[in-house]
Amino acid sequence: MKNITYVNDKFVNHDKAVVSVEDRGLLFSDSIYELISVFNGKIIDLKLHLNRLFKSLKKIRIKSNFSKNKIENIINKLMNQNSLKNGYIYIQVTRGTAERKHEFPINYKPTLIIFTKNLNINKKIYKKGIKVITMPDIRWMRRDIKSTSLLPNILAKQNAIEKGAYEALLVDNGHITEGSASNIWIIKDSNKIVTHPVNNKILNGITRQTLIKILKKNNFIVLEKSFNLIQAKNSKEAFLTSSTMAILPIIKIDNFSISNGKPGETTQKIMSLYNYYINQKENKKKNSSKELKIA
């Protein structure tokens, strides 16, 4: 079955999707992206993702020639054409095609790319937990912008994989900011959760935003403050969040075991709460469909 991709007002076969060699996204990483999870045919936190997309576009001064509604319509069409049930939606917006000069082109038309991918995650990883390593955070100081300039993240992730770890935690002046493709959380006791505050040093993850609301609703204390490597290694429990992987328990940081080397009880409870949130959204979708059929 062929996969369909959207590029600049055209729906084409994924292997036929192309952009100009002078597209500024290709030449300069002058572009923004979003990756949105899909679970049982349900798009997770679409509005939050689109809000962040347009905020990032504003921060790097790309003037979009499309609306959130247009993107949502494209996504729905792609999901139907590609029969997407479990996986992700990828959106990228570049400043478009122009002569290779560092300064912004005077007139430009943004390039809009949207595609979908099926994703099969090995569920054993959630029961087993993951190992992470730590590395210096050498990225630029506008990590709050979801730019495609990801080379430092890629090198950090590859280093983790080569050392038998799942993720690399990035350390800035002794404090852990986030993972190469995730936000990190530590648990100080049964109901006190700590994660890095929102500023220019981290990307405010969508799963992060949603989980904070869930935790507060369920009487957890969420502290948005920086923490150092020693505090992380001495934490009761720790976990990562991301759009594709949701919540992953950490069982080892470098050579230090966390939670006796297995996913802790509080982390498992938090995972259950988030899964309930996802399933609840799915049930609402099914109920809405039934109501439409009855009408």
Side-chain angles (χ1 to χ4, degrees):
M1 182 177 177
K2 292 184 178 179
N3 208 42
I4 304 300
T5 287
Y6 175 93
V7 182
N8 289 338
D9 296 325
K10 293 181 180 179
F11 290 87
V12 298
N13 290 333
H14 188 72
D15 58 355
K16 302 293 184 181
V18 295
V19 296
S20 168
V21 294
E22 287 191 298
D23 190 285
R24 288 178 66 91
L26 173 65
L27 297 178
F28 296 116
S29 293
D30 188 4
S31 58
I32 297 300
Y33 79 101
E34 282 290 331
L35 192 148
I36 309 167
S37 182
V38 175
F39 174 75
N40 284 343
K42 176 64 179 178
I43 306 171
I44 307 303
D45 293 328
L46 175 61
K47 293 189 183 302
L48 290 176
H49 279 283
L50 292 184
N51 286 342
R52 186 173 65 178
L53 174 70
F54 277 78
K55 285 180 181 178
S56 289
L57 289 173
K58 186 176 181 180
K59 288 176 180 178
I60 70 166
R61 296 161 61 188
I62 289 181
K63 296 179 180 179
S64 61
N65 56 350
F66 48 81
S67 66
K68 294 177 185 178
N69 285 338
K70 179 177 180 177
I71 292 180
E72 191 167 350
N73 290 334
I74 294 167
I75 287 172
N76 288 330
K77 187 171 183 178
L78 287 175
M79 285 186 63
N80 289 329
Q81 290 179 322
N82 297 331
S83 301
L84 182 64
K85 297 298 180 184
N86 293 288
Y88 64 81
I89 300 153
Y90 179 85
I91 305 170
Q92 184 172 337
V93 183
T94 84
R95 206 178 301 274
T97 301
E99 183 181 355
R100 191 190 181 283
K101 294 180 179 179
H102 283 64
E103 64 268 29
F104 296 169
I106 296 174
N107 297 308
Y108 64 88
K109 180 182 178 182
T111 295
L112 175 59
I113 302 165
I114 306 177
F115 64 80
T116 69
K117 285 289 181 179
N118 290 306
L119 190 64
N120 294 314
I121 299 172
N122 187 344
K123 302 298 182 181
K124 292 180 180 179
I125 195 172
Y126 297 98
K127 294 181 179 180
K128 186 178 179 181
I130 60 169
K131 174 186 175 182
V132 299
I133 62 169
T134 57
M135 292 181 60
D137 196 340
I138 60 172
R139 300 172 298 163
W140 72 322
M141 295 304 293
R142 291 307 308 273
R143 304 160 195 164
D144 55 306
I145 300 174
K146 199 165 177 67
S147 163
T148 56
S149 301
L150 294 173
L151 185 56
N153 304 63
I154 291 168
L155 293 174
K157 183 74 169 186
Q158 183 62 28
N159 192 39
I161 298 301
E162 290 174 358
K163 292 186 176 181
Y166 176 85
E167 176 65 299
L169 304 186
L170 306 175
V171 183
D172 185 345
N173 291 322
H175 288 77
I176 296 176
T177 51
E178 56 188 347
S180 70
S182 60
N183 292 119
I184 178 172
W185 312 62
I186 61 172
I187 301 174
K188 299 187 72 173
D189 53 44
S190 59
N191 75 329
K192 191 175 291 183
I193 320 296
V194 185
T195 192
H196 197 285
V198 174
N199 54 26
N200 64 299
K201 292 189 175 183
I202 71 161
L203 179 70
N204 189 8
I206 300 302
T207 305
R208 177 192 183 281
Q209 295 176 40
T210 296
L211 186 58
I212 286 175
K213 294 177 183 176
I214 294 171
L215 291 172
K216 289 181 177 179
K217 186 177 180 180
N218 286 275
N219 301 316
F220 284 91
I221 299 171
V222 180
L223 302 175
E224 295 185 67
K225 67 177 187 178
S226 62
F227 54 88
N228 60 38
L229 184 55
I230 294 174
Q231 290 171 314
K233 290 180 176 180
N234 289 326
S235 62
K236 181 182 177 183
E237 300 175 35
F239 61 90
L240 298 178
T241 56
S242 71
S243 290
T244 51
M245 301 303 291
I247 300 170
L248 276 178
I250 295 173
I251 59 169
K252 184 175 281 189
I253 301 176
D254 294 328
N255 293 318
F256 289 77
S257 291
I258 308 295
S259 185
N260 296 318
K262 60 183 180 180
E265 291 182 6
T266 304
T267 300
Q268 292 182 60
K269 180 179 179 181
I270 292 171
M271 292 167 67
S272 295
L273 288 171
Y274 185 77
N275 288 335
Y276 176 78
Y277 166 78
I278 299 299
N279 288 315
Q280 192 178 44
K281 293 176 79 69
E282 172 61 15
N283 289 333
K284 284 181 179 178
K285 180 190 176 186
K286 289 179 179 178
N287 291 335
S288 296
S289 297
K290 288 179 181 178
E291 289 173 5
L292 287 172
K293 289 178 181 178
I294 292 170

